[in-house]
Amino acid sequence: MADTFYQTKISGTGHYLPPKLLTNKDLEKLVETTDEWITERTGIKERHIADESQASSDLAYEAAKIAIKEAGLTPEDIDCIIFPTVTPDHVMPSSACLLQEKLGAKNCMAFDLTAACSGFIYAMSIAHSFIQTGHYKHVLCIGSEVLSKFVDYTDRGVCILFGDGSAAAVLSRAEEGEESKIYSRHCYAEGAHGKLLYLPMGGSAIRPSHEAIEANQHTVEMNGREIFRNAVRTMGKAAQTTLETNGMTKEDVDWFIPHQANARIIEAVAKHIDFPMEKVIVELADIGNTSAATIPIAMDRAIRDGRIKRGQNILLAAFGGGLTSGGLLLKY
Ligand code: ACO
């Protein structure tokens, strides 16, 4: 086993967005804001909102079925489910285990991963290690979020940004002769800035109480300006490091998929690393920020509409609460 070294390919992708929409015009009725303000500051026009009965594992189930089918596999073929989310169904059991049961994926380990919006790159990074070493052959990475249940719809700085959605990629061992691979990945954490994007309640730090709910500790708190600044800095660094490690420049990369938090952050990151916007995939206007699901949703859309083709080099970069960040370069 020690000498075994396999390559990793994306064998299938899929995404699911709940049908209900929350438009900027709808938000105008909830908070003091305008469609023009939101569009100009974020690039977001509408977001998908889960039905009250839907939790993250329900959205994930829809996306996972598609990705597993696209990979030409059945749920029994999956060796491991890695489920990045900041909006799990419960603290316990994990959403990954709930999904495992729903899928009938009987032969796998399953766990949740908390790295906020960098979660999908963290998940792909771990999946790659399992595959590289020969430990596993097929790993389902699935980002799924129901952020609408954790957003304060009276806080206009936050409620305009987030939506619900899910997307999956099956990472599989590349067979001999296949050129698909992950060149490298780089994941970082900066816990010192943890409170810039913060969900106080839901863990062991704060006992659930009427007082805590009255104080809105069950919803997302954010310092928008500082998040913006750190997003550009850390995503820029992650993308740059990933390119430099592989001796590549923007000319070698066909598509850049950054975390889809808002259009101004994406444009600032592209400028920071001198990357042309024509090669940046932006799928934000009709989805908003779906945290761990944004990168795989954007990737799946671009694969389905033919922008991303086999053999192309794709750069991913993300930034999220924690703070976390990461970069990953792959040949699709
Ligand atoms: N509509 C109208 N006015 C608003 C709104 C709104 N929805 N939200 C804030 N404002 C007001 C503020 O109250 C403030 O008013 P004041 O000057 O009277 O105090 C004014 O607009 C400017 O506020 P700022 O916070 O400085 O506005 P900014 O230009 O920074 O835009 C925004 C706010 C869009 C949140 C911006 O900071 C941002 O994009 N930050 C990044 C946040 C983000 O994307 N987070 C996603 C989560 S992070 C992740 O995904 C990893």
Side-chain angles (χ1 to χ4, degrees), residues 54-67:
Q54 288 178 306
S56 288
S57 73
D58 298 310
L59 274 52
Y61 175 58
E62 301 301 330
K65 279 191 295 188
I66 302 168

Side-chain angles (χ1 to χ4, degrees), residues 27 31-35 37-38 40-42 44 115-118 147 155-162 196-197 220 222-229 231 235 259-265 289-292 294 318-324:
L27 285 167
V31 287
E32 179 94 33
T33 191
T34 61
D35 175 29
W37 196 96
I38 302 171
E40 194 225 311
R41 302 289 175 113
T42 70
I44 301 166
C117 309
S118 309
L147 287 151
D155 182 349
R156 65 180 181 172
V158 173
C159 71
I160 58 166
L161 300 170
F162 295 105
L196 293 179
L197 187 57
V220 173
M222 182 183 73
N223 179 332
R225 276 194 191 172
E226 280 304 302
I227 283 290
F228 193 110
R229 204 174 57 76
M235 258 205 291
H259 168 49
Q260 317 271 307
N262 78 51
R264 284 193 309 151
I265 291 180
N289 183 349
T290 54
S291 193
T294 74
F319 155 83
L323 300 180
T324 57

Side-chain angles (χ1 to χ4, degrees), residues 88 90-91 150 198-209 217-218:
H90 310 283
V91 172
F150 298 89
Y198 184 37
L199 183 47
M201 214 171 101
S204 58
I206 296 174
R207 190 181 294 281
S209 66
Q217 293 190 309
H218 58 299

Side-chain angles (χ1 to χ4, degrees), residues 277-331:
M277 277 306 290
E278 308 83 75
K279 294 203 288 181
V280 181
I281 290 176
V282 185
E283 297 290 324
L284 191 64
D286 63 324
I287 304 177
N289 183 349
T290 54
S291 193
T294 74
I295 287 181
I297 290 175
M299 182 161 67
D300 186 46
R301 278 189 163 183
I303 289 170
R304 277 169 201 282
D305 68 19
R307 273 174 292 173
I308 293 182
K309 298 177 181 60
R310 285 284 173 198
Q312 288 185 333
N313 288 331
I314 317 293
L315 175 65
L316 312 179
F319 155 83
L323 300 180
T324 57
S325 58
L328 185 148
L329 183 67
L330 62 91
K331 185 183 279 295

